[in-house]
Amino acid sequence: MSRGGGGRWGSVSVELVMAECAGCHGVCGFWKRVEGPEERRLLELFSYGLMALGAGSALLLCFIPMPYGRYSTRRFGSLLPARVAWALQELPSLLVPIGLAACGGEAIAAPANRVLLGCFVLHYAHRALIFPFLIREGKPTPFVTFVLALLFCVFNGYLQGRSLSNYATYPPGWLKDPRFITGFIGWLLGMAINIHSDHILRNLRKPGETGYKIPRGGMFEYVSGANFFGEILEWFGFALACDTTESLAFALCTLFILGSRARQHHQWYLEKFEDYPKDRKIVIPFLY
């Protein structure tokens, strides 16, 4: 009996060792090996880089219009179908954080981290899996624009996913903290505004109609870039709820880039329509 029992426990021990060795290899094994103070510092440096990228992009867009949508041009590469380009470029921001969370981490077991990462993933589940199929006759996307968006989503997916899976820590009552509650409301409201504004834009033209129209209703009564305002509000709410350098960097980068795109739209509307509402701001209601 003792020999049989020993053999059984020995078999279990061997299986455990093999499982541990398997964990040392593959994708998850890689992420476990690189985890530590050095990667934590790298995430901080990447965050500052993301802020600088946003500011630099905003400056560049003052001289070179963003080549997408109605501004698409072949000067920035071959044109890709809008639906395909949008789905593929947004997908990394959905898959990368999910993959990092699946590999485990000291932080991801906490309820606050799971909720916050869930907010990020939910946004990109909509942007990658739902929004592209709602596009109606979207303008083709230049290849360079597609590649830049794809790289950004890979980079930011890693930044936010790794931070919340492995490094961001919160006190036990964080989900009841006023900062989390206020930030979560901002995130939810911003996402709702973004989705509603996109719905208005998609339905500006009736079947068979062509040309452009002035968007009306919702936050478009206050700003030209209502969809951009919604996304800016969403990510600043997310940053407040997360209280991390990585989330703040993303919010600021969003503000810089989408603010520039909204200004581009606003100027186009003013030049295109003589009756465009002169009291509309660019992207921040009553301010800018």
Side-chain angles (χ1 to χ4, degrees):
M1 293 290 292
S2 61
R3 294 176 107 185
R8 184 168 57 253
W9 287 111
S11 175
V12 172
S13 299
V14 170
E15 290 176 358
L16 289 174
V17 171
M18 292 178 64
E20 291 178 357
C21 289
C24 296
H25 304 287
V27 176
C28 289
F30 168 79
W31 290 116
K32 289 179 181 179
R33 290 194 298 273
V34 301
E35 182 179 1
E38 292 185 358
E39 189 193 23
R40 185 70 190 92
R41 178 57 179 164
L42 183 65
L43 290 177
E44 292 180 359
L45 293 175
F46 279 170
S47 297
Y48 299 135
L50 187 60
M51 296 180 199
L53 174 65
S57 298
L59 181 61
L60 183 63
L61 290 174
C62 291
F63 305 98
I64 303 176
M66 175 70 79
Y68 79 103
R70 68 191 66 161
Y71 316 107
S72 293
T73 170
R74 290 187 179 275
R75 289 185 301 168
F76 291 87
S78 301
L79 300 180
L80 305 176
R83 290 180 177 177
V84 174
W86 192 277
L88 292 179
Q89 73 188 31
E90 300 291 309
L91 202 55
S93 283
L94 171 64
L95 298 182
V96 171
I98 291 177
L100 291 172
C103 286
E106 294 185 2
I108 195 58
N113 295 66
R114 293 188 177 190
V115 170
L116 291 166
L117 190 59
C119 291
F120 186 84
V121 167
L122 180 61
H123 170 91
Y124 281 101
H126 174 264
R127 301 303 277 182
L129 304 179
I130 299 176
F131 176 78
F133 299 99
L134 298 176
I135 295 175
R136 297 181 179 179
E137 301 178 1
K139 299 291 185 180
T141 302
F143 182 73
V144 172
T145 304
F146 163 74
V147 171
L148 291 176
L150 177 69
L151 293 176
F152 175 84
C153 286
V154 171
F155 177 81
N156 191 51
Y158 161 70
L159 195 63
Q160 307 306 323
R162 193 64 169 166
S163 171
L164 291 171
S165 294
N166 292 74
Y167 300 106
T169 57
Y170 301 97
W174 183 251
L175 294 179
K176 297 180 181 179
D177 189 283
R179 287 168 292 178
F180 172 82
I181 294 174
T182 303
F184 180 78
I185 292 174
W187 171 83
L188 187 61
L189 182 60
M191 187 172 181
I193 291 173
N194 181 250
I195 292 174
H196 180 250
S197 300
D198 284 338
H199 172 76
I200 291 176
L201 291 175
R202 280 195 304 271
N203 291 278
L204 282 177
R205 292 191 293 263
K206 297 179 180 179
E209 288 185 333
T210 59
Y212 292 95
K213 292 185 176 182
I214 299 174
R216 301 186 185 278
M219 291 303 299
F220 281 111
E221 296 299 321
Y222 303 94
V223 293
S224 296
N227 51 334
F228 299 141
F229 166 70
E231 193 158 351
I232 291 169
L233 174 61
E234 182 180 359
W235 294 124
F236 270 94
F238 180 74
L240 179 60
C242 286
D243 194 28
T244 63
T245 304
E246 292 81 8
S247 59
L248 177 60
F250 181 32
L252 289 173
C253 185
T254 300
L255 174 64
F256 288 138
I257 294 177
L258 295 190
S260 299
R261 290 170 60 180
R263 185 179 65 249
Q264 182 180 352
H265 277 8
H266 185 74
Q267 187 61 38
W268 184 88
Y269 280 128
L270 290 174
E271 295 174 356
K272 182 75 172 179
F273 301 101
E274 294 183 358
D275 58 338
Y276 191 75
K278 300 300 186 292
D279 57 342
R280 282 191 192 180
K281 298 298 183 180
I282 296 176
V283 69
I284 306 297
F286 311 111
L287 296 177
Y288 174 72

